[in-house]
Amino acid sequence: QVQLVESGGGLVQAGGSLRLSCAASGNILSINDMAWYRQAPGKHRELVAAITSGGRTKYVDSVKGRFTISRDNAKNTGFLQMNSLKPEDTAVYYCNAVSDYVGYWGQGTQVTVSS
């Protein structure tokens, strides 16, 4: 099994920045892809960004040019750098990791962007 813990969320003004972290423990050597999702009240959870073990990345169109996903395999940690934040980015952000074709989720961290 894999355990994931997110941190770094908070309240920021529009145009500000935050960096989210996802610390992994457990069967960390089996982790392949990692991703960040977000879910706003009353909305479905959506994929924001993903990164493979080899470092290939992809992003939802709404965050391209503003968000950057990365991972430090030596420290077993994933990151989501969020710049130029907008009120519509407000959501609970979740880290996701796949290990042996099984998906794992963190507890989520709240990101609130004020106008």
Side-chain angles (χ1 to χ4, degrees):
Q1 292 187 321
V2 174
Q3 294 80 47
L4 305 173
V5 179
E6 302 99 331
S7 61
L11 173 63
V12 298
Q13 294 182 335
S17 299
L18 285 173
R19 190 176 80 154
L20 307 183
S21 298
C22 175
S25 61
N27 191 23
I28 56 177
L29 295 179
S30 66
I31 295 177
N32 189 2
D33 297 344
M34 297 187 68
W36 288 93
Y37 290 73
R38 66 186 180 187
Q39 186 169 21
K43 297 184 178 180
H44 291 103
R45 188 172 299 184
E46 68 170 346
L47 175 67
V48 178
I51 185 169
T52 69
S53 60
R56 298 191 302 274
T57 60
K58 61 181 179 181
Y59 302 89
V60 67
D61 287 343
S62 61
V63 308
K64 287 183 178 178
R66 300 189 298 120
F67 291 10
T68 302
I69 188 172
S70 62
R71 63 194 297 175
D72 186 337
N73 291 329
K75 297 182 178 180
N76 305 312
T77 304
F79 303 95
L80 184 67
Q81 178 67 45
M82 304 185 295
N83 299 324
S84 302
L85 283 163
K86 304 175 181 179
E88 50 262 45
D89 295 319
T90 295
V92 177
Y93 283 71
Y94 297 90
C95 181
N96 173 267
V98 176
S99 176
D100 295 327
Y101 302 99
V102 176
Y104 297 89
W105 296 94
Q107 83 288 351
T109 185
Q110 176 71 48
V111 172
T112 302
V113 184
S114 62
S115 60

